[in-house]
Amino acid sequence: MPLEIGAESLSLLKVGDIARRTGKTVRAIHLYEELGLLNPAVRSKGGFRMYRGDGVKRIEWIQKLQDMGFSLTEIKVFLRVWEESATAPKAMATVREIFTDKLRETRETIARLTRLADELSESLAFLEGCRSCDQGQHQRECGGCGRSDHEVPLLVDGIAKR
Amino acid sequence: MPLEIGAESLSLLKVGDIARRTGKTVRAIHLYEELGLLNPAVRSKGGFRMYRGDGVKRIEWIQKLQDMGFSLTEIKVFLRVWEESATAPKAMATVREIFTDKLRETRETIARLTRLADELSESLAFLEGCRSCDQGQHQRECGGCGRSDHEVPLLVDGIAKR
DNA sequence: TCAAACCCTTACGTTTACGTAAGAGTGATA
DNA sequence: TATCACTCTTACGTAAACGTAAGGGTTTGA
């Protein structure tokens, strides 16, 4: 008769194993548990958290949502909504809603960052002209060059003020 | 003989004025001063901070850099580098460097967010198929439908686990 | 059975960009 | 001169996502 404990521990991972496989720290995993994002499958009789392989998947999922800009608290809400949905289609509908919102938000962020990148490019183009500035001029006298005010981008203009 | 004080105060702004014109709070402006990002032009004899109009520009500049992802501390370094550059062209070279770095970083962020948006779209497309799921099925039984594992996006798969 | 390597809980620390409150003085106006 | 709105300094509070340390058990393998 084989040892049940041995057979069990073959497929169960300790928190440190999960940490290594996900790149997270043990502390982070503990935190996720405190927040209700991930529970160990069982505890060893000594109290060790024992996880199944899908614990790794759950953490990768959390990571991805974090990358998308969800806070851990939002992720928690996400899970609760899921768990409280009586039927699968209803649960999926909620998930679709959340994802749709986040997709819109992400696209807005992309648009905003694109505008900022454009501004940066403009500023850099403007700064090219500063190469030919009188080499001995002190930075405090910057602004004294011939370039008219309205062509100075805000990103550059703000520095020299004061 | 006109009152000098009157003439002065005509063009000087109190911290509350600056706050209103920039949408920042008084506390925030105080913080910027603590961090060395913005100093009042003078103090009234009673100790009130008095700013010139370019204070507003400086704050708008700070706001823009924050939008770009600079921390206040980074902005401070930015200003110090500028102030310590002996000549204008040298100062501008440093600014170009910082902006170039940030531009690259911003583009990387845009690329990352674009990939995430794509993943979201994929997941949403997948979830369309869940509309036709057996209406009575409980969410806990999700995954029992005929769809093969490898076509389930991580963003969806991670929810149902555990 | 012993030791090294892990794990447990509890709880305070860290960073960022302010929020908020207290107690007191200032400035412009009636 | 009396107000009332504003401002001053000082200093503790806040939210997020862990980091870190302390004191003490648990596993596991030699």
Side-chain angles (χ1 to χ4, degrees), chain A residues 39 57-58 61 64 83 85-88 96 119 127 131 137-139 155 157-159 161-162, chain B residues 39 57-58 61 64 83 85-88 96 119 127 131 137-139 155 157-159 161-162:
Chain A
N39 288 111
K57 275 208 172 179
R58 171 58 67 92
W61 176 75
K64 213 160 253 302
E83 285 163 5
S85 298
T87 65
R96 268 202 306 274
E119 270 193 80
L127 289 173
R131 289 190 197 277
Q137 184 145 14
H138 194 276
Q139 49 92 350
L155 276 178
D157 197 34
I159 315 168
K161 294 294 176 186
R162 329 223 84 260
Chain B
N39 288 109
K57 275 206 172 179
R58 171 58 67 92
W61 176 74
K64 213 158 252 302
E83 284 163 4
S85 299
T87 66
R96 269 201 307 273
E119 272 193 78
L127 289 173
R131 289 191 197 276
Q137 181 144 16
H138 193 276
Q139 49 91 353
L155 276 177
D157 197 35
I159 315 169
K161 293 295 177 185
R162 331 223 82 260

Side-chain angles (χ1 to χ4, degrees), chain A:
Chain A
M1 174 184 168
L3 294 174
E4 291 225 331
I5 293 179
E8 226 177 60
S9 61
L10 271 182
S11 57
L12 288 179
L13 303 168
K14 286 186 288 188
V15 67
D17 301 324
I18 297 280
R20 261 185 300 280
R21 293 182 190 209
T22 59
K24 296 280 181 183
T25 63
V26 170
R27 174 65 176 112
I29 297 172
H30 285 171
L31 177 65
Y32 297 160
E33 185 175 342
E34 280 176 40
L35 295 178
L37 304 185
L38 169 66
N39 288 111
V42 296
R43 290 269 191 156
S44 76
K45 75 179 169 190
F48 283 24
R49 294 167 175 81
M50 305 303 284
Y51 301 85
R52 280 188 299 256
D54 55 7
V56 173
K57 275 208 172 179
R58 171 58 67 92
I59 288 185
E60 286 167 352
W61 176 75
I62 292 172
Q63 179 63 58
K64 213 160 253 302
L65 289 183
Q66 279 188 299
D67 287 348
M68 289 169 40
F70 284 98
S71 70
L72 293 182
T73 304
E74 285 174 319
I75 297 176
K76 176 181 183 170
V77 171
F78 201 146
L79 281 175
R80 291 300 157 272
V81 164
W82 167 261
E83 285 163 5
E84 284 159 19
S85 298
T87 65
K90 194 171 172 189
M92 283 313 188
T94 309
V95 172
R96 268 202 306 274
E97 209 174 296
I98 295 176
F99 279 1
T100 302
D101 280 0
K102 186 56 75 175
L103 179 55
R104 187 181 38 68
E105 196 181 299
T106 302
R107 286 187 171 142
E108 283 169 9
T109 302
I110 290 174
R112 197 173 50 78
L113 289 180
T114 301
R115 284 194 298 275
L116 286 172
D118 288 349
E119 270 193 80
L120 273 173
S121 294
E122 273 178 46
S123 299
L124 282 169
F126 176 87
L127 289 173
E128 280 305 310
C130 299
R131 289 190 197 277
S132 55
C133 168
D134 176 7
Q135 293 295 315
Q137 184 145 14
H138 194 276
Q139 49 92 350
R140 277 190 303 242
E141 303 171 77
C142 191
C145 67
R147 317 179 81 178
S148 62
D149 251 30
H150 65 275
E151 59 176 324
V152 184
L154 174 59
L155 276 178
V156 176
D157 197 34
I159 315 168
K161 294 294 176 186
R162 329 223 84 260

Side-chain angles (χ1 to χ4, degrees), chain B residues 1-135:
Chain B
M1 175 184 165
L3 296 175
E4 291 225 329
I5 292 178
E8 226 176 59
S9 62
L10 272 182
S11 57
L12 288 179
L13 303 169
K14 287 187 288 187
V15 67
D17 301 324
I18 297 281
R20 263 185 299 279
R21 293 182 189 209
T22 59
K24 295 282 180 181
T25 64
V26 171
R27 174 65 177 110
I29 298 171
H30 285 170
L31 177 66
Y32 298 161
E33 185 174 340
E34 281 175 40
L35 295 179
L37 304 184
L38 169 66
N39 288 109
V42 295
R43 290 270 191 155
S44 76
K45 75 179 171 191
F48 283 25
R49 293 167 176 81
M50 305 303 283
Y51 301 85
R52 281 189 298 255
D54 54 7
V56 172
K57 275 206 172 179
R58 171 58 67 92
I59 288 186
E60 286 167 351
W61 176 74
I62 292 172
Q63 180 62 60
K64 213 158 252 302
L65 289 184
Q66 278 188 298
D67 287 348
M68 289 170 39
F70 284 98
S71 71
L72 293 182
T73 304
E74 285 174 319
I75 296 176
K76 176 182 184 172
V77 171
F78 202 146
L79 281 174
R80 291 301 156 272
V81 164
W82 166 262
E83 284 163 4
E84 283 158 20
S85 299
T87 66
K90 195 171 170 188
M92 284 313 189
T94 308
V95 172
R96 269 201 307 273
E97 209 174 296
I98 295 175
F99 279 3
T100 301
D101 280 1
K102 186 56 77 177
L103 178 56
R104 185 182 38 68
E105 195 181 301
T106 302
R107 287 187 170 142
E108 283 169 9
T109 302
I110 290 174
R112 197 174 49 79
L113 289 180
T114 301
R115 283 193 299 275
L116 288 171
D118 288 348
E119 272 193 78
L120 274 173
S121 294
E122 272 177 47
S123 299
L124 282 169
F126 176 87
L127 289 173
E128 280 305 310
C130 298
R131 289 191 197 276
S132 55
C133 169
D134 175 9
Q135 293 295 315

